[in-house]
Amino acid sequence: MSPWCPVRDPGGARVADRSDLPDPTAPRPARDVAPDLSSRSPDWWRQAVVYQVYPRSFADADGDGLGDLRGITQRLGHLAALGVDALWMSPFYPSELADGGYDVADPRDVDPRLGTLDDFDTLVAEAHRLGLKVIVDIVPNHTSHQHVWFQEALRSGPGSAARDRYVFRDGRGQSGELPPTDWQSLFGGSAWQRVPDGQWYLHLFAPEQPDLNWDNPEVRDDALTTLKFWADRGVDGFRIDVAHALVKDLSEPLRDLGAPELSREEALHRFEPGTHPFFDRDEVHEIYRDWRALFDTYSPPRAAVAEAWIPDPRRALYARPDELGQAFNFEYLQAPWDADALRRVITDSLATAGTVGASATWVLSNHDVVRHASRLMLPPGTDENAWLLSGGHAPAVDPEAGLRRARAATQLMLALPGSAYVYQGEELGLPEVADLPTEVLQDPVWEQTGRVRKGRDGCRVPLPWTRTGPSFGFGASGSWLPQPPGFAAYSVEAQDGDEGSTLEFYRTALRLRRKLAVDETLTWAEDTPPGVLQFDRSEGWRCVTNLSADPVDLPAGDILLTSAPLVDGRLGPDTTAWLSR
């Protein structure tokens, strides 16, 4: 039998539009929510460790090969034992999975394959009983094409109020056969899709994800209704997907970019800050001030974090106290494994967050990027897509060396002031599954780019919980993406209680961090050897990370934790140490 033995995602195939989907604007039944027994501090998020759960790949309670809410609830003890403060769940809403759940057909319900609203309430109650906060993903830029609003727009025709909730335009050319602009989808190809009556609609992502028109008051009001719906059910915070893309310049005539082949970053730099046609426009901040007013009606106020792939100074605007409060720091994730580069990024990130009174955020892996146990070992300048297309063989990555570097990077991240976001499975040291067979790929990027970009499936392979079983304990049968045989050695069962394991390393680091990380200050140490990062925290401890090729002497102090054993009493390459001062 093939070692892959994949079980196809029962929702992975795209299906025709359905008219029987529930109306997301209709009221939902209310129920009493268990009291929140976790921290009542309004600032709990400033230095929290947040664990990201990708629901379809975390744990499968009903054995259909797809992770679900009951599976998450059953495994919450793992997160409590790990020592994190909160879990953030990627979308679990009704979806045909054209984009891994980020194509939302109803933002105020649970996909029936993943459970029910009662299952969600049970999850929140159990998380709070264990002292864990709950953060959910909000996807405000677009809906699924199955959303009742979009189906109504298709039926209503050009010029209708229903179409005004989205971005519909006539095409160019003699008979409207050309897209309205040269805007490109982030997944490849034109950002415009034509409908049978001849008009085109905007989709910055997949064609199954039509963009909403945020100039429409009904769209803004409905988003507030969604936020209130989940906050009333006990949700402690929100992660805002593509937070910088909501507002577009839709004044006629629509502007071409002029160079559609440019990357997102290159395109932003061609415009004055805040004036790009559809990214990071100044007007978007009015929306988040309205959201903050809603969040602050709760006690404690609901937290929020922006996903905004924009330059550092602009990103801080989303983290202002009268807006979302925090924003993901992608400069840190993208930084090379180099002492000077990391020091610049850390210094700049802390300074930028400080300009608005926010705490910094740090992340090494998530559901959209190559896992850092593999990524950090790639030579500088490596084309990650080419590496994925090679099955992870060109260049080859030494998994032991990758894990050593990943542990050092994690311990460094956990020593930094601010919030740390941990992606499911990194506590097990999981590498990227770069050699997934092309016939099992689910990410729309693969097909939409003409099978040129392999996509993000390699970081979304379901977790291994046990050494054996058809899906290593993920569920009673197989898993929607195939797990490689080597996952057995990475499983929770294989690492639990093993003093040298990555799982026990994470547990120890998080336990120490909770005791040590009191304030949000950092002081760089003087006389640091080349290739080494050293900084002191005011609570009387020091973090030292050796990114050089040779062992280095440690400064005076009692060793609290190292990411790898010392080498003759010295800190080896790709190793981090915490010391008391």
Side-chain angles (χ1 to χ4, degrees), residues 61 97 209 213 450 516 537:
L97 305 185
Q209 295 168 289
N213 172 19
L516 296 171
R537 299 294 305 273

Side-chain angles (χ1 to χ4, degrees), residues 220 224 285-295 322:
R220 299 193 179 207
L224 290 170
H285 298 287
E286 176 189 342
I287 294 170
Y288 298 130
R289 285 190 284 273
D290 287 345
W291 289 16
R292 173 50 57 191
L294 172 64
F295 296 157
D322 64 340

